[in-house]
Amino acid sequence: MTSPVPDPAARAKELGERVDVASARVLATAAGISDEQAREPSSLPGWSRGHVLTHLARNADGLRNLLIWARTGVVTPQYPSFEVRNEEIEAGAGRPARELVVDFADSATAFEAETARLRDGDWAAEVRGGVRGPAHPAWYTLWRRLSELEIHHVDLDASYRPADWPADFARECLQGATARFSGPDSPAALLRATDDGSEHRIGPPGEEPAITLAGQSYALLAWLLGRSDGSGLSATPTGPLPPVPRW
């Protein structure tokens, strides 16, 4: 569920600025990747760095469709189908590094240009992500883009690490991510962020936490998203960290 905000246009402006910064960081990393490195594995199973960069480019295109939907009122799905989405990523993954960089940059520029075309009232318009995903307000599209950029920047496995995530992103994403781990497959645990003192519960509703994990927000988030083995966290009682479902 997306929590309502009192001023969608102001929230969109703030998120848009953060998206621009995150895009510039990914672009700087991508510009330093050689053709050989682009074909090497990323930290995502089965994906090369070329897959990750192509995914980020196509994600910008797909989320731009949702902004067009919000601006025009014409239903414009993020992707025609999951099959088309996957085919486009596979088709672009093996390109030379320079082509990957240009594609990412062009798609990011087009996304930024579309955000500038929306009127203040458009940001509250309801759109639907994915192929048949949940409905959310248009401003939330910018949060989705920011999350894709920050998380997949780490997945490039090219010097950007969870510790490099901006503190505000790590805190916000942790708060939202914990809500996704409330099913029967999630361990009953209390996550305590040592940087801001916040606490978050995961696991089946009503089940008391069997373990408390403490650490920086970014470290908790990285473990929860499968981007870390949790080696930077402390557990009470002491012992191995419980497995979590795939993000």
Side-chain angles (χ1 to χ4, degrees):
M1 296 291 291
T2 305
S3 301
V5 297
D7 189 342
R11 177 63 165 154
K13 182 178 185 298
E14 178 250 337
L15 285 171
E17 292 170 352
R18 291 163 68 184
V19 166
D20 292 344
V21 172
S23 290
R25 284 198 295 262
V26 173
L27 186 60
T29 296
I33 293 175
S34 67
D35 289 347
E36 181 179 1
Q37 290 169 330
R39 292 188 293 270
E40 291 174 349
S42 71
S43 61
L44 288 178
W47 271 18
S48 66
R49 293 189 179 98
H51 282 90
V52 175
L53 288 172
T54 301
H55 166 62
L56 285 173
R58 300 292 73 76
N59 173 261
D61 294 343
L63 293 180
R64 179 163 56 89
N65 285 341
L66 300 188
L67 298 182
I68 294 171
W69 180 348
R71 177 173 58 83
T72 65
V74 177
V75 175
T76 313
Q78 182 176 351
Y79 301 111
S81 69
F82 286 116
E83 291 76 16
V84 170
R85 169 193 177 273
N86 294 337
E87 288 169 1
E88 289 181 341
I89 293 172
E90 286 295 332
R95 292 172 294 172
R98 177 59 182 167
E99 290 185 25
L100 292 166
V101 170
V102 170
D103 186 23
F104 174 84
D106 288 349
S107 65
T109 297
F111 181 85
E112 180 183 0
E114 187 57 42
T115 65
R117 299 181 69 183
L118 270 70
R119 302 168 294 265
D120 284 357
D122 296 333
W123 291 109
E126 189 175 273
V127 297
R128 191 172 294 275
V131 177
R132 290 177 295 276
H136 60 72
W139 68 262
Y140 191 71
T141 303
L142 297 177
W143 172 257
R144 291 179 59 198
R145 180 59 178 168
L146 179 63
S147 299
E148 291 284 327
L149 289 164
E150 291 293 351
I151 295 169
H152 286 315
H153 195 172
V154 169
D155 293 334
L156 281 173
D157 196 20
S159 79
Y160 194 76
R161 301 289 180 258
D164 298 315
W165 283 333
D168 54 357
F169 170 76
R171 288 192 296 266
E172 283 185 69
C173 196
L174 178 62
Q175 182 176 1
T178 51
R180 299 268 297 270
F181 291 86
S182 59
D185 295 334
S186 295
L190 177 66
L191 310 185
R192 180 173 293 135
T194 56
D195 48 317
D196 65 0
S198 63
E199 294 186 343
H200 313 270
R201 288 196 178 197
I202 62 172
E207 187 171 334
E208 286 299 311
I211 188 171
T212 297
L213 304 177
Q216 296 281 309
S217 292
Y218 79 81
L220 290 166
L221 178 62
W223 170 74
L224 202 59
L225 301 187
R227 269 65 184 185
S228 163
D229 62 4
S231 56
L233 304 177
S234 63
T236 307
T238 303
L241 274 60
V244 290
R246 184 175 178 182
W247 171 249

